[in-house]
Structures are given as C-alpha cells and as structure tokens.
Amino acid sequence: MTKDVIALTPKMPDLRTFLAGLYAGGPDLGVNTLADGAVIQLCAPGGRPLVSVEAPILVQVPGETTRLLGIGPGVSDSPVWWTEARASTAVAEGGRLAGSFAGRLATVLGGTVWPPEASSTDVVPLTTDISAVPVPATSAPAVDVLTAKAAVVIQDRPLVTMTSWLSDALRGATTDDRALQVVTPPTTRLTLPTRTALLGHPNRWVVQDPDHGFYDGLSGAVLHWKGGTFTPVLDENGTASVAEAFKAGPDAGERQLIISLRTLHPADEDLVLGRALETAWHTLTGTAPAGWSTAEPVNLLWSTRQLTDLARRRAPRPTWLIAVGHPDRPAIATVRVTRTPAGVEQDITLTLGHGKDETPPLHAIEPLAETLAAEHGLTSMLTSLRSARRDLTVPAHFETPPIPVSYTLGSESVRDIDLDRALRTPLGLVPTRLGPTARPALHYALGDGTDPRAWNVLGQLTQHLAQVS
C-alpha cells in the first residue's frame, strides 16, 4: 500500500535541507516539480516518480497534529512545520525513500518523523527494474490507479484526512467525470471532511478486509472490481448485500451534535464571512474556532477576515473550508461559500463530539437559532443528534444515522413560504416565533434526538412547507 511519511520540524526546511533529503536515493535520481513548485518529485531515470513531497506548511493550531496523527513519540501540539512525502506504490523502494527523505529533514532540523518506524537516513539504492514499471497515467501524486471511470487512491494510514493531495485528486476526478475511490484496510478511520467528500456519488470508500474481501466503508455494500471501478456485487434481483464486517460496533455512549445551517447575505464589500459559524461555536462551546484551512491539517489560526479575503479572491468560484476547535472540546465544521444571483450563501455543518458523561447543549439551540436569524442572515437550520465517536472520526462499520432535534426557518424563508402556511403544520406541530412579530423566524422542535420517528415528522413538515398555495 501507499506509504505516507511526515517530517515534523520546528524550523522550515530550506532548499539545502530539501536537497539533502532528496539525495536519499543517491545522485542518480532526478527531481521534477508540479503545481507551480508546490510539489517536488523524486524520480527514477526516465522520469518515473518514486516519491512526491508537498511544500511544507506551518501548523499553528493547538492540538491539530495529535488530532490527525495521535499521541505518540515526537508528536507535539506546538507550532510545527509539516512536510509530507508520499511514496509510489509501483516501486518497492518507494516507502523506504520517503522515510529516508523525512528522516534526513528531521535529523538536520531537530524534528521527528511520523510514523516513527519509517524514519531513517540511509541511502536507498534503486534495485527495481524501472523499465518494467509503467509511467502513471496521471500527474496527481495521490492517485495510484487511473481508469476511464475511477481515480483510485490507496491509503494505509490509521486516519485518512482531507489533505491537499486528496483534495486535488477529488477535483481532478470530478472535472474528468470519474469516481474518487479511496482504498484502506478495515482499521482505518476517516475524518469528517473526508467522509463528506466520499459520500457524494459516485465517490466511494473501499475497505479491503482480509477475511471478507472489499466492501463500502460507508454503506457496507460488498464490492468487486469490474469495468475499471469498484462497484457493488448484485444478486439476481439486482440487490447489493451488506458485508458481515460492516455490522455495528459496540455503543460506547458517545454522541455527536450536528448543526447544519445556511445563511444568505447581500454581496457587498463590507461582508465578513464566518461570523455565523463563530457565533454557533461560541454559543455551543464557549470559545471561537481554533483554526481554519482549505485542507487538513488545519494550519491557520481562526480569522474571519482572512477567510473572507480568500473567498473574495476565488469568487465567483465556490470556496470550501474546514474549521476545528480546541483540543478539550472536539468540534469540526465544513463551510462552502457560494456566490449566487441572490447574494453570498454559506452552507455550514458544525459537529461537536460528546463523551458518555457529557450532555450535548440542546438547551442552547433555540437561542442560537434566534441570534442567527436576527444577526446572521439565517435561511434554515437543522439540528440532529447521533450515537457516534466523540473524537469525530468515522470507522469502517455501521453507525446509526442522526436523529432530528429541531428545524428552523429564517424570516426571509418564512416570508417566501407564507407565514400562515408555515404556522399551520401537520401533526399539530406548533413552531416558536423568533424575532419581530411581523416577520418572525420559526423554530420547530422535533424531539430530543432519541426517537427515529422524528424523521417522519421532519419529512411531513418539509413536504408541507414546499407545497405551493
């Protein structure tokens, strides 16, 4: 499988240190650059990439390295330069070359290597017959297999994160109308941003279980490789079966509170993005987000002004962001900023992790809804609760779906639907009016997050609200 090795150093690797690392394969190997120099490749004679190295990034956010790499030797929460090397799966020496590159950086700069066992400073001679190894069909370093239907990424790290590597692979696959398929062992987990990316059709998380073959890590469907892509195995009735390995794990009593909200603002020069998310974070955790970025690791300290500037530079293209919380309170959010004819929309999903003895702050949801409706252009908000891991990672087995707790409509959405219709709901559901009497937002309480029948109530409610008078 692909070997990813990370050098964690207190100083930024300079050109001389990079060159010392790249000599891990001796002087006969070449160097190539991609993405305007953001990726450097160590290549065999003839140009076959052996190791791809991403430009170092300074991770300033407390707790981010341990969130992604776990607690281990040399993994520090202090600001650290993160330099990631990705070895080719096609060449036996690739993993050792990546480890030697990272080990040399760490030795020169006084840092460490993750995983620790990969570290070395040895010269790794190339003994593989490179002439028998085909040049990859894509320049994307993350992609291991490329077909007409799929871009396949093989990962063997314990936690698959939405790195810039994977983000680039996703963009490339989407542009070329291919599925992004990430193959992992069954012990691997995903971060929530990675899960979000792989939920969208036709993307897929492919789990390779030594006893059960391949299955989808999010749906459990048994898979096989057919026609250049991983696809479900269907019976004579066209039905997919669920892998035995996908059965639910034990319930540890941990839960996740999920806030999915949308805001709309006029596109004017005074607009500052991220304030709705910041308000939600403060209300539910007592602090602002710790950091933000466009990929993992999240490396920038929280700044609404900086993320607004980025979205403005990218407009009219959409901008996708990740925000994380402080180490003592697991929280992560994804934000999609989109320019539309109506203005600037923010689609935000904020997820908070709670342990067995921690109580999710459901009491704060209605006041939060009122604040967002009054001050932050809220159009809608769905709050739900699920039994899932406190650390917000996604295992390769069944997890119960979230259960709705409440649904809120902003005042503009209520006006578009018609206030009388929004008040006359099925099942006698009486919403709470928030804000001005003449133009209220409406907050619908659906339950406490323990009764799955709340989905039926929400379905009837949204169907009613969507009907044309």
Side-chain angles (χ1 to χ4, degrees), residues 275-295:
R275 287 179 173 171
L277 176 60
E278 188 175 72
T279 296
W281 218 296
H282 261 296
T283 301
L284 299 175
T285 72
T287 64
W292 74 282
S293 186
T294 57

Side-chain angles (χ1 to χ4, degrees), residues 27-48:
D28 295 333
L29 301 186
V31 175
N32 187 26
T33 60
L34 298 173
D36 296 325
V39 176
I40 297 176
Q41 291 184 324
L42 183 62
C43 301
R48 180 56 167 92

Side-chain angles (χ1 to χ4, degrees), residues 42-296:
L42 183 62
C43 301
R48 180 56 167 92
L50 304 175
V51 176
S52 299
V53 181
E54 194 169 36
I57 60 173
L58 177 60
V59 180
Q60 307 173 68
V61 180
E64 185 64 356
T65 52
T66 53
R67 179 179 77 88
L68 300 183
L69 303 180
I71 298 174
V75 179
S76 170
D77 280 341
S78 303
V80 65
W81 286 94
W82 175 301
T83 307
E84 186 157 345
R86 181 176 173 81
S88 167
T89 55
V91 180
E93 294 85 2
R96 292 171 58 207
L97 281 168
S100 183
F101 168 84
R104 288 166 178 240
L105 261 62
T107 299
V108 173
L109 299 174
T112 57
V113 172
W114 181 93
E117 64 271 16
S119 180
S120 81
T121 57
D122 298 338
V123 173
V124 181
L126 184 61
T127 59
T128 299
D129 181 6
I130 274 300
S131 64
V133 179
V135 175
T138 174
S139 62
V143 176
D144 295 286
V145 178
L146 187 71
T147 73
K149 294 183 179 179
V152 180
V153 177
I154 304 173
Q155 290 274 268
D156 67 350
R157 57 205 292 173
L159 186 64
V160 176
T161 64
M162 185 44 66
T163 60
S164 59
W165 306 101
L166 200 55
S167 211
D168 288 343
L170 176 60
R171 279 193 296 271
T174 302
T175 299
D176 296 337
D177 197 26
R178 290 185 173 97
L180 177 67
Q181 301 188 330
V182 178
V183 181
T184 76
T187 53
T188 291
R189 291 169 285 117
L190 308 182
T191 62
L192 285 179
T194 308
R195 177 183 184 270
T196 299
L198 295 180
L199 270 176
H201 180 78
N203 303 327
R204 194 180 296 279
W205 178 17
V206 181
V207 178
Q208 186 176 13
D209 189 280
D211 300 319
H212 301 275
F214 296 100
Y215 69 92
D216 189 302
L218 299 178
S219 71
V222 176
L223 304 173
H224 61 171
W225 180 258
K226 183 178 181 180
T229 185
F230 284 100
T231 186
V233 177
L234 304 179
D235 62 18
E236 61 274 9
N237 299 317
T239 302
S241 59
V242 176
E244 177 66 21
F246 190 68
K247 65 182 181 181
D251 185 356
E254 299 177 334
R255 288 179 288 178
Q256 295 175 3
L257 180 63
I258 306 165
I259 315 294
S260 300
L261 64 99
R262 175 174 292 180
T263 67
L264 176 63
H265 297 277
D268 60 54
E269 61 182 16
D270 296 325
L271 174 62
V272 178
L273 300 171
R275 287 179 173 171
L277 176 60
E278 188 175 72
T279 296
W281 218 296
H282 261 296
T283 301
L284 299 175
T285 72
T287 64
W292 74 282
S293 186
T294 57
E296 294 176 303

Side-chain angles (χ1 to χ4, degrees), residues 305-336:
R305 173 53 62 187
Q306 288 181 0
L307 68 87
T308 300
D309 290 344
L310 175 66
R312 184 169 283 124
R313 288 195 303 270
R314 290 187 171 186
R317 294 173 298 157
T319 295
W320 186 79
L321 308 169
I322 303 169
V324 295
H326 297 271
D328 59 339
R329 164 53 57 214
I332 192 166
T334 57
V335 183
R336 183 177 174 83

